[in-house]
């Protein structure tokens, strides 16, 4: 069994995946737009992502742009958690994720190692850990 995150965006999924692909050195794959789908979405929304995946070494999650008739509420009940091997890399990733976002817990040493928690500029919650 494998449980995997599926993130929902409000029209900026491709932009967000490009942002994450740079931070995590990963590729955007299985990119499917609403272009040729028989779904009632506005013409201006047809180029948005109906499905995509971010894949790389140690990372794989799926994402899409919710259609305009789908209510999207930013929530605090889900976080993406990233475990990094070195303090330096973990701190760099944390700093990249929180640019133009909100820091909830500064990246610093805790009882179990180094940890920081933030919400990025796309409204996704992240926890960055380094048990080093």
């Amino acid at each position: 069994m494998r449980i995997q995150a599926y993130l929902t965006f409000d029209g900026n999924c491709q932009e967000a995946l490009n942002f994450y692909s740079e931070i995590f050195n990963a590729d955007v794959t299985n990119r499917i737009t609403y272009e040729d789908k028989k779904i009632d979405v506005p013409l201006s929304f047809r180029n948005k992502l109906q499905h995509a995946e971010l894949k790389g070494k140690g990372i794989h999650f799926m994402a899409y742009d919710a259609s305009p008739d789908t209510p999207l509420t930013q929530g605090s009940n889900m976080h993406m958690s990233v475990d990094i091997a070195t303090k330096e890399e973990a701190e760099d990733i944390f700093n990249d994720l929180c640019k133009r976002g909100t820091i909830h817990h500064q990246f610093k040493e805790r009882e179990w190692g180094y940890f920081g928690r933030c919400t990025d500029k796309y409204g996704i919650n992240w926890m960055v850990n380094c048990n080093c």
Side-chain angles (χ1 to χ4, degrees):
M1 178 186 294
R2 180 176 67 171
I3 297 172
Q4 189 172 23
Y6 204 119
L7 304 180
T8 306
F9 293 88
D10 190 21
N12 57 359
C13 183
Q14 183 65 60
E15 179 185 331
L17 290 178
N18 290 342
F19 175 72
Y20 301 139
S21 71
E22 289 180 27
I23 292 173
F24 296 111
N25 192 27
D27 296 315
V28 179
T29 64
N30 299 325
R31 219 179 139 272
I32 301 167
T33 66
Y34 288 93
E35 190 66 37
D36 297 319
K37 305 299 178 208
K38 294 181 180 179
I39 299 172
D40 187 23
V41 295
L43 186 59
S44 63
F45 202 80
R46 291 271 171 204
N47 67 337
K48 302 299 180 186
L49 293 177
Q50 185 187 25
H51 175 82
E53 297 179 44
L54 188 72
K55 290 183 178 182
K57 185 178 179 184
I59 186 169
H60 183 198
F61 66 82
M62 298 177 287
Y64 81 112
D65 285 310
S67 60
D69 64 345
T70 302
L72 182 60
T73 303
Q74 299 289 336
S76 59
N77 60 339
M78 198 281 287
H79 288 73
M80 297 292 286
S81 180
V82 183
D83 293 319
I84 308 294
T86 69
K87 176 188 178 262
E88 293 77 21
E89 184 181 10
E91 191 166 23
D92 287 346
I93 286 173
F94 178 78
N95 289 335
D96 286 342
L97 287 169
C98 65
K99 285 179 185 166
R100 293 188 9 228
T102 303
I103 296 173
H104 303 289
H105 293 98
Q106 288 288 342
F107 186 83
K108 66 179 188 177
E109 190 169 12
R110 314 289 173 156
E111 303 83 47
W112 63 89
Y114 290 87
F115 171 82
R117 186 170 69 85
C118 67
T119 302
D120 70 24
K121 62 185 176 182
Y122 300 103
I124 303 299
N125 298 306
W126 292 89
M127 296 185 298
V128 178
N129 298 284
C130 179
N131 189 2
C132 47

